[in-house]
Amino acid sequence: MKDIQLSEVHKALGAKMVPFAGYNMPVQYEGVNIEHETVRNGVGVFDVSHMGEFLIEGPNALDLIQAVSSNDASKLTIGKAQYSCLPNEDGGIVDDLIIYRVKEETYLLVVNASNIEKDWNWISSKNIFGAEMKDISDNYSLLAIQGPKAVEAMQSLSSHDLSAIPFYNFIVGDFAGIEHVIISATGYTGSGGFEIYCKNSEVEQVWNKVMEAGKEFGIKPIGLAARDTLRLEMGCCLYGNDISDTTSPIEAGLGWVCKFNKEFTNSKALEAEKIQGPKRKLIPFELNERGIPRNGYDIVDSEGNNIGHVTSGTMSPSLGIGIGLGYVPTEFAPVGSSIGIQIRKNVIPATVVKLPFYKG
């Protein structure tokens, strides 16, 4: 297990540390519901320094990115970011990621911690273009400052107008006394805020100043457990649960990040799947009665036949009901469809709904 740079800081704050994606990570401090509500209503800070970062540089950097990623990175101008995925040859997904255009010929790829080595090997294997690749994952830390009060709470730490950074845009500027950090509005919680990418040697200073500046706004450290409930309320996919090597971006509802005006890995097959329609779909559902759906629980039809399984599920702290995602045959996917979730010996009735679960 690797330790993130601020591991001792989190322990001193009372964090429960657990192994996650090869790292010891803070899963919770005070409790999931308290931390969840802090982000929904105020401001909280996550340490997500386990995420991977690759630099792709040089005159052929874009060629490599276009070949391996499903979205159209040619649309990126400096200061813009894009959500995308890395399709594999078999119809599945190697990983989902965010691509930042930092300079004319420099791109930053932010990938999931559990897939750092896999992604690096995959992209390297496709690099017939001679693009320069650097894995900087072990040298950088990432803090996500999230919540409706995030901008106001953090404005004193930067000379830049943080409220002027649109969603999926970023700047490279000063923050918390450190020059040249990436300040990015690419949040995963649906409650606003931004992320700070800085060097490991700088992150303790940044953390301390963030906590100090946020004190009057009630800032709290937030663990990965609340990050999961927050992202699920927005219907964001989690790699390893809702998307994987065996789920296609089309059936996962990620057709919007597949741009078929260019060729990329398996693009012809994915385009055909989009035209024909997938045989199964990832659906969001709400339980009609009390219960908590969990990953792996069976989804059944009105006759009790197994038609799929839950990929992510929780008791929504904001809504007070059981919510989840899962794959079912396409005929059960329309909004309003009735399904059942097998929770131990009971089948709990549920309804397919429209995302996001949390409307804000």
Side-chain angles (χ1 to χ4, degrees), residues 66 69-73 75 85 87 248-251 254-276:
Q66 288 288 70
S69 68
S70 62
N71 211 333
D72 186 0
K75 301 281 191 226
C85 71
S248 94
I250 308 302
E251 62 189 16
L254 298 179
W256 62 279
V257 298
C258 297
K259 299 297 174 13
F260 299 113
N261 59 333
K262 60 158 200 169
E263 280 196 32
F264 56 87
T265 308
N266 206 38
S267 57
K268 289 283 182 275
L270 291 175
E271 185 174 21
E273 184 185 7
K274 187 170 187 177
I275 292 165
Q276 290 160 11

Side-chain angles (χ1 to χ4, degrees), residues 33 52 74 96 117 139 143 169 178 183-184 254 257 278 286 326:
N33 286 358
S74 71
D96 62 336
E117 187 178 356
N139 305 321
L143 302 180
N169 284 246
I178 307 290
I183 308 170
S184 164
L254 298 179
V257 298
E286 293 178 354

Side-chain angles (χ1 to χ4, degrees), residues 79 151 155 160-167 169-171 183 185 194:
V151 169
Q155 186 55 67
H160 298 274
D161 181 0
L162 301 180
S163 68
I165 307 173
F167 195 44
N169 284 246
F170 68 95
I171 59 168
I183 308 170
F194 45 89

Side-chain angles (χ1 to χ4, degrees), residues 73-271:
S74 71
K75 301 281 191 226
L76 287 173
T77 52
I78 295 167
K80 288 199 177 292
Q82 182 182 79
Y83 179 65
S84 191
C85 71
L86 304 174
N88 62 26
E89 308 278 10
D90 308 312
I93 300 170
V94 177
D95 202 3
D96 62 336
L97 73 165
I98 298 178
I99 301 168
Y100 296 81
R101 190 169 192 174
V102 183
K103 297 177 186 169
E104 198 60 43
E105 295 181 351
T106 301
Y107 296 82
L108 174 69
L109 276 52
V110 179
V111 302
N112 285 298
S114 54
N115 292 335
I116 293 172
E117 187 178 356
K118 180 177 82 162
D119 291 357
W120 177 263
N121 292 340
W122 177 260
I123 298 168
S124 299
S125 75
K126 302 292 182 185
N127 188 12
I128 58 172
F129 307 96
E132 299 164 41
M133 294 177 57
K134 290 179 198 159
D135 181 357
I136 59 171
S137 307
D138 287 342
N139 305 321
Y140 277 77
S141 291
L142 172 56
L143 302 180
I145 304 158
Q146 296 284 293
K149 295 181 183 174
V151 169
E152 189 186 358
M154 295 299 118
Q155 186 55 67
S156 64
L157 297 182
S158 181
S159 64
H160 298 274
D161 181 0
L162 301 180
S163 68
I165 307 173
F167 195 44
Y168 266 78
N169 284 246
F170 68 95
I171 59 168
V172 179
D174 65 284
F175 188 84
I178 307 290
E179 296 293 329
H180 310 302
V181 301
I182 290 177
I183 308 170
S184 164
T186 47
Y188 193 48
T189 64
S191 284
F194 45 89
E195 294 72 51
I196 302 294
Y197 295 84
C198 62
K199 292 175 183 168
N200 286 346
S201 57
E202 301 164 341
V203 71
E204 189 160 3
Q205 176 178 322
V206 174
W207 176 274
N208 290 338
K209 286 186 179 285
V210 163
M211 295 303 283
E212 193 181 317
K215 192 179 286 183
E216 64 177 290
F217 297 89
I219 197 169
K220 290 181 179 179
I222 313 293
L224 290 183
R227 187 170 169 82
D228 193 49
T229 55
L230 288 157
R231 71 91 194 167
L232 183 50
E233 285 187 348
M234 301 314 296
C236 296
C237 289
L238 176 65
Y239 195 90
N241 284 41
D242 314 302
I243 51 176
S244 70
D245 289 308
T246 60
T247 59
S248 94
I250 308 302
E251 62 189 16
L254 298 179
W256 62 279
V257 298
C258 297
K259 299 297 174 13
F260 299 113
N261 59 333
K262 60 158 200 169
E263 280 196 32
F264 56 87
T265 308
N266 206 38
S267 57
K268 289 283 182 275
L270 291 175
E271 185 174 21

Side-chain angles (χ1 to χ4, degrees), residues 6-68:
L6 296 180
S7 194
E8 294 306 315
V9 171
H10 298 306
K11 288 176 189 170
L13 287 167
K16 179 184 176 187
M17 306 293 285
V18 299
F20 181 83
Y23 293 80
N24 286 312
M25 296 295 294
V27 68
Q28 64 180 47
Y29 300 81
E30 290 181 79
V32 180
N33 286 358
I34 294 171
E35 293 169 34
H36 182 107
E37 292 305 319
T38 296
V39 173
R40 280 281 177 255
N41 301 313
V43 57
V45 55
F46 304 82
D47 187 342
V48 282
S49 300
H50 61 318
M51 299 292 281
E53 294 91 12
F54 305 153
L55 283 177
I56 311 287
E57 299 181 286
N60 299 324
L62 181 59
D63 293 329
L64 173 58
I65 291 166
Q66 288 288 70
V68 297

